[in-house]
Amino acid sequence: MACANTAGWLNPYGLACKDYETEYCAGGGFRPGQDWAGGKDYNYPERNCCACGKCTDQPGWDNGYGKTCGEYEVEKHCASGTVVPGQEWTTGAAFNYPERACCACGHVVAPARSRPASPSPSSSAGGSSAAGGGGECVDDPGWRNPYGVTCAEYVKKLYCAGGAVLPGKEWTVGPEFSHPERACCAC
C-alpha cells in the first residue's frame, strides 16, 4: 500500500503537504535543518505528509495469531506510536514485532537512503557502513538526540544494531529523541 497524505491537512500557517514536499521534507523525513517545521506547533506534518515520514502499517502484517495492526490499536495494546504500558508482552519476536510493523506501536518510516544489507564491523560501531550492492549509509554528521546521545552511543548502549532498533528499546526513537532511526545507520 502506497502512502497517502492526510486529506485536507494544513499546518497552522496554511501550508499543505505539497508545500512541505517542496520546502521542508523529502524521502520520509525533514530536509537537513528543517525539522523545526514539525511537531505539535506545526500540526505534526510527520504524521500527515508522506514526504515528512507519515507512517503506513506494513501491508498484510499479523502477529502470528491473526491480530492485525488495526486490532492492536483497537485492543489498546498500542496507541499514538508507542506500546501501552503493561502491554509490552504483546510485542517482540513472540508476536512478530508489531513495534516494527504497526504505526500505533512505534513503526516509523525511515527516509529513503542506503542501509547496510547486513551488520558489518563498521555499522556495529555506529559509523558508516558499506551497503550490499554498492552505496553506503552514513550517519548524519553531528546528530545528537535532545539528551546529547550520539549515533555511536546508540550502539554502545545497545539501543540499535544492524539498521534496526533492538527489541525493547523502541522507546529510544521517534520525535522525542530527534528520530535516530532517520539519522543513525545502526538504527
Side-chain angles (χ1 to χ4, degrees):
M1 172 194 316
C3 183
N5 292 328
T6 302
W9 179 86
L10 295 172
N11 80 5
Y13 304 99
L15 297 179
C17 289
K18 66 180 174 59
D19 301 309
Y20 269 78
E21 290 167 16
T22 59
E23 297 291 323
Y24 305 105
C25 300
F30 287 97
R31 295 174 192 262
Q34 299 299 317
D35 56 348
W36 60 268
K40 180 180 177 185
D41 291 343
Y42 292 87
N43 196 22
Y44 299 105
E46 62 273 19
R47 295 181 185 170
N48 293 282
C49 305
C50 298
C52 298
K54 178 181 178 181
C55 189
T56 302
D57 291 336
Q58 182 179 321
W61 179 89
D62 78 43
N63 70 353
Y65 300 93
K67 298 290 183 183
T68 65
C69 289
E71 289 171 301
Y72 261 67
E73 192 167 14
V74 168
E75 294 176 6
K76 302 198 183 320
H77 297 300
C78 299
S80 302
T82 190
V83 178
V84 172
Q87 296 298 307
E88 295 85 358
W89 66 272
T90 65
T91 64
F95 292 92
N96 199 18
Y97 297 106
E99 65 275 16
R100 295 181 185 172
C102 306
C103 298
C105 298
H107 165 68
V108 294
V109 177
R113 65 179 180 159
S114 298
R115 288 192 159 274
S118 61
S120 68
S122 59
S123 69
S124 64
S128 64
S129 60
E136 64 178 43
C137 180
V138 179
D139 291 337
D140 289 351
W143 180 88
R144 290 179 179 270
N145 76 15
Y147 306 98
V149 180
T150 66
C151 290
E153 290 172 301
Y154 262 71
V155 173
K156 288 178 190 170
K157 293 176 179 277
L158 299 176
Y159 295 156
C160 297
V165 180
L166 294 175
K169 301 300 181 180
E170 296 81 9
W171 63 271
T172 67
V173 299
E176 181 182 346
F177 295 92
S178 297
H179 295 288
E181 67 276 12
R182 296 178 181 170
C184 305
C185 296
C187 296

